[in-house]
Amino acid sequence: MIAEAAKDTLRQRGIRLTRQRQLLLDLLDKSGQHLDAEALYQMAHQKDPKLNRVTVYRTLKLLKEGGLVDELDLMHYTGDQHYYETRTKQEHAHIICLRCGKVEEFYGDPLHKLRRQVESMFGFQILIARTEVGGYCAHCQVLRSQEVELARRTLAEAGAVEGRKPARKKSS
Amino acid sequence: MIAEAAKDTLRQRGIRLTRQRQLLLDLLDKSGQHLDAEALYQMAHQKDPKLNRVTVYRTLKLLKEGGLVDELDLMHYTGDQHYYETRTKQEHAHIICLRCGKVEEFYGDPLHKLRRQVESMFGFQILIARTEVGGYCAHCQVLRSQEVELARRTLAEAGAVEGRKPARKKSS
DNA sequence: GTTAGTGCAAACCTTTTGCAGCTCT
DNA sequence: AGAGCTGCAAAAGGTTTGCACTAAC
């Protein structure tokens, strides 16, 4: 369980493990990934009605600065909020379908190569890296092209109707 | 000049090329890269005092949706605003120094490979991809370690002072 | 002449801050 | 005991929206 490791890390840094922080850490850890502050707040608030939204923001900031969670924005698919996931697994890219919102994760060589090249080419010390890709998933590509086709026809129809209206008075 | 191509694209889509849009497009095109909405507004507003901030936001949104500019956030180095650059050059990653704010651009194989792998592995149709890397540039690594060392010493000193204070009443 | 686009003001949403009181160690 | 943390209310920062007027085609 990641939350335990995170708690140790925090303890070692002399950061207090309050009831609220433990709850948030556990929720972040368990509940899948890509929670935004509001979603996390809702979950936490349900378990502890006294817990305030502000505490969620402060905790997330703390964890982010401590390198315990990573911040994403998933191409702002749903808005301008940020998403968080515990930093455990290998580095990975996030692939977001801009139609259905599904998020895939990509682990692979190119990410490591990129990292190594950036380090050696620029003498750069990398602390965080993130790759986000937006587009249409296999399923939505079909649906998307149907939608576009429909829109095209609707427009053409409207155009035809317009064409039937009395012509611009020029010949009248 | 990119702005011209962009203008053609817009015209073809039946989007009106207003005075304001032309100005914004030209500014985006010329003035280096990584402008945020406010910076772009300041520049535009200087040339055309009637031009409103809202128009900047609306134009950026239009250009972004049309794939003519890319939106970045440069690891939120300076805050939560977004940055924009015209989409012309090859795909590239942005490397941001979290100490001095310098932004480097990385062009390279790993980016293409990543793209190709995502397309083939997931059957994904990519519309936008972005990679941002945060850390310390070669120059700032040195300065950073000095800063950390200084902080460490300052803390140790404070700790020493604290140590001289009457001990926790246990032996008293 | 239409319809899209602009400016203005006001709203909106997410996140941060100031401060008094509470709590972990 | 006391610094660190929380909750509450209020502010901030960035961006969007409603509406009447203006301008591009």
Side-chain angles (χ1 to χ4, degrees):
Chain A
M1 176 161 266
I2 301 128
E4 293 314 316
K7 286 177 191 171
D8 284 345
T9 309
L10 293 179
R11 255 188 285 261
Q12 279 166 29
R13 295 185 195 167
I15 286 167
R16 290 190 189 163
L17 268 180
T18 61
R19 179 173 42 81
Q20 293 90 331
R21 285 182 185 162
Q22 303 207 32
L23 174 54
L24 292 172
L25 225 32
D26 286 339
L27 286 174
L28 263 177
D29 184 18
K30 284 176 206 159
S31 67
Q33 49 242 151
H34 313 144
L35 289 175
D36 65 2
E38 183 61 22
L40 180 57
Y41 167 66
Q42 291 301 340
M43 299 175 73
H45 188 251
Q46 202 162 352
K47 291 213 168 190
D48 175 358
K50 297 297 297 295
L51 192 149
N52 194 277
R53 197 178 262 103
V54 175
T55 299
V56 174
Y57 281 107
R58 285 196 274 233
T59 302
L60 286 173
K61 192 176 190 183
L62 184 85
L63 297 175
K64 176 177 57 168
E65 285 169 2
L68 296 171
V69 302
D70 281 317
E71 190 178 66
L72 317 171
D73 41 52
L74 302 182
M75 284 306 184
H76 304 116
Y77 174 65
T78 53
D80 278 347
Q81 70 277 53
H82 297 135
Y83 298 86
Y84 299 87
E85 66 178 10
T86 48
R87 184 189 287 190
T88 34
K89 323 187 191 67
Q90 274 186 283
E91 186 174 345
H92 55 278
H94 291 96
I95 322 290
I96 303 98
C97 177
L98 300 176
R99 189 175 171 284
C100 69
K102 187 172 167 196
V103 179
E104 301 266 17
E105 302 191 342
F106 171 81
Y107 297 77
D109 227 43
L111 291 169
H112 303 113
K113 290 217 173 99
L114 185 130
R115 187 177 260 268
R116 266 183 260 123
Q117 287 188 22
V118 167
E119 285 169 344
S120 68
M121 282 181 61
F122 300 103
F124 203 85
Q125 178 192 353
I126 297 177
L127 295 180
I128 20 175
R130 75 174 178 220
T131 297
E132 303 196 326
V133 177
Y136 296 121
C137 71
H139 180 241
C140 286
Q141 279 166 45
V142 187
L143 299 169
R144 176 68 188 166
S145 61
Q146 287 171 1
E147 285 165 3
V148 171
E149 175 59 14
L150 179 63
R152 207 188 53 69
R153 268 186 231 165
T154 309
L155 259 176
E157 224 169 274
V161 169
E162 199 131 323
R164 268 182 243 121
K165 274 161 55 178
R168 306 266 176 98
K169 44 173 101 179
K170 170 170 89 179
S171 54
S172 81
Chain B
M1 174 162 266
I2 302 127
E4 294 312 318
K7 287 178 190 170
D8 284 345
T9 308
L10 293 179
R11 256 189 287 260
Q12 280 168 28
R13 295 185 196 167
I15 287 166
R16 291 186 190 169
L17 268 180
T18 61
R19 181 172 40 81
Q20 293 91 329
R21 284 180 186 164
Q22 303 207 32
L23 174 54
L24 292 171
L25 225 31
D26 286 338
L27 286 173
L28 264 177
D29 184 17
K30 284 177 206 159
S31 69
Q33 47 242 152
H34 314 144
L35 290 175
D36 64 4
E38 183 61 22
L40 180 57
Y41 167 66
Q42 291 301 340
M43 300 176 72
H45 189 251
Q46 201 162 353
K47 291 213 169 191
D48 176 357
K50 299 297 298 294
L51 192 148
N52 193 277
R53 197 178 262 101
V54 175
T55 299
V56 175
Y57 281 106
R58 284 196 275 232
T59 302
L60 286 173
K61 191 175 191 182
L62 183 84
L63 297 174
K64 178 178 55 169
E65 285 169 0
L68 296 170
V69 303
D70 281 317
E71 191 178 65
L72 317 171
D73 42 51
L74 302 181
M75 285 306 185
H76 303 117
Y77 174 65
T78 53
D80 279 346
Q81 72 277 52
H82 297 135
Y83 297 86
Y84 299 88
E85 67 179 9
T86 48
R87 184 188 287 191
T88 35
K89 322 185 193 65
Q90 275 186 282
E91 186 173 345
H92 55 278
H94 292 95
I95 323 290
I96 303 98
C97 178
L98 300 177
R99 190 177 169 282
C100 69
K102 188 172 165 194
V103 179
E104 303 265 16
E105 302 191 341
F106 171 81
Y107 298 77
D109 227 42
L111 291 170
H112 303 113
K113 290 216 174 99
L114 185 131
R115 186 178 262 268
R116 264 181 263 125
Q117 288 188 22
V118 168
E119 286 169 343
S120 68
M121 282 180 60
F122 300 103
F124 204 84
Q125 177 192 354
I126 297 177
L127 295 180
I128 21 175
R130 75 176 177 220
T131 297
E132 304 196 325
V133 178
Y136 296 120
C137 71
H139 180 241
C140 285
Q141 279 166 46
V142 186
L143 299 169
R144 177 67 188 165
S145 61
Q146 287 171 2
E147 285 165 3
V148 170
E149 175 60 13
L150 179 63
R152 208 189 52 71
R153 268 187 233 163
T154 309
L155 259 175
E157 224 170 274
V161 169
E162 199 129 323
R164 265 180 247 121
K165 275 160 58 178
R168 306 264 176 99
K169 44 173 103 182
K170 171 169 92 179
S171 54
S172 81

